[in-house]
Amino acid sequence: MRLDVLGHVGSRQNSFTSVIATSFFAYVDNDRFSIGHGPGLFQAADNRRVRFGRGLRSDRANLLGS
Amino acid sequence: MSPPELEFRSAAPDDASRLVAAFDWLFEPPGSRPAQWDPLVAEERLRRASSSAAATVLLAEHTGELVGFCTVYLDIEPVRFGQRAWVEDLAVHPDHRSLGIGKALLDGAKQWARTRGAMHLELDSAFARTEAHRFYVREGPSWDAVCFGWLL
């Protein structure tokens, strides 16, 4: 199930793929995708995008992501 | 430092009309025009953003010509991270790219948000915009993630 998600994202051939895949690994490894958020739901999205965030006060407070 | 011969300011509601035309920069490949795009609706939204205390539209002008813009909003207040600022649109005229205008606009958005109590600033970008991604990565984001959206 998890490999399906990674394979789906990794099929995009560009220089940013590795970053995206890394993000997925990090999130999956930390169980950030809860039960019920399976790959079928992700693949049905109309619009898949990459999000970047920057802490404005203390980077340390934001390192865990959102 | 701002690129030379450029002026940066927050848009006034009367700037909305010419700003709408500048959105064509975002629709060029690898971008695309949203199916629901309506210039009149867009103009009204830009007027609201430029007159709101919780949003601004930053402009970059070169001898009076619009060469870049950035919309930024104070939106949600996540329990874990506090007030968020969201950059929704960031675009530079095709003839004025790689001159530091995008960075100046992003820095302006951070400053605008910071002075209004935001704790973090975020944006998202379509997978196909790989050049933009390289710029955002150079700007040292504190994190990156993958977004998914559904039209309602």
Side-chain angles (χ1 to χ4, degrees):
Chain A
M1 188 172 185
R2 291 176 176 180
L3 287 176
D4 285 345
V5 176
L6 295 169
H8 181 61
V9 173
S11 65
R12 298 296 183 107
Q13 296 300 315
N14 59 49
S15 61
F16 205 71
T17 299
S18 60
V19 177
I20 296 167
T22 300
S23 294
F24 263 92
F25 270 117
Y27 274 72
V28 171
D29 288 347
N30 289 318
D31 289 331
R32 298 295 294 275
F33 288 156
S34 61
I35 294 173
H37 289 64
L41 181 59
F42 294 135
Q43 288 172 356
D46 295 318
N47 184 5
R48 298 182 304 138
R49 303 168 72 85
V50 183
R51 189 174 68 170
F52 299 91
R54 178 69 180 175
L56 295 177
R57 304 285 170 165
S58 167
D59 285 349
R60 188 173 180 276
N62 288 304
L63 286 178
L64 292 178
S66 62
Chain B
M1 178 181 293
S2 298
E5 302 179 24
L6 289 169
E7 292 185 358
F8 294 88
R9 65 178 175 88
S10 291
D14 287 348
D15 290 305
S17 179
R18 65 175 182 148
L19 268 166
V20 170
F23 271 72
D24 281 346
W25 306 337
L26 284 171
F27 301 151
E28 297 169 359
S32 61
R33 189 183 305 271
Q36 69 274 24
W37 174 254
D38 182 330
L40 293 178
V41 173
E43 183 173 333
E44 180 54 33
R45 289 170 177 163
L46 283 164
R47 288 182 184 278
R48 283 203 298 270
S50 56
S51 59
S52 169
T56 193
V57 184
L58 302 176
L59 305 184
E61 293 174 312
H62 179 260
T63 61
E65 177 192 7
L66 181 63
V67 295
F69 68 94
C70 176
T71 60
V72 56
Y73 303 80
L74 297 176
D75 56 0
I76 63 173
E77 186 179 18
V79 171
R80 292 174 293 167
F81 305 109
Q83 179 66 57
R84 182 177 78 173
W86 183 267
V87 167
E88 179 63 23
D89 310 293
L90 175 57
V92 174
H93 188 293
D95 295 340
H96 295 267
R97 290 176 184 163
S98 301
L99 297 174
I101 298 173
K103 174 175 172 50
L105 287 167
L106 185 60
D107 287 346
K110 291 175 185 172
Q111 183 62 22
W112 179 89
R114 191 179 288 115
T115 58
R116 285 159 180 79
M119 301 298 289
H120 55 118
L121 178 141
E122 297 190 31
L123 58 85
D124 70 19
S125 177
F127 276 15
R129 296 187 186 277
T130 53
E131 287 189 20
H133 297 172
R134 279 193 285 274
F135 162 62
Y136 296 135
V137 169
R138 281 201 306 274
E139 289 303 301
S142 306
W143 65 82
D144 56 72
V146 179
C147 291
F148 302 88
W150 291 263
L151 292 174
L152 300 176

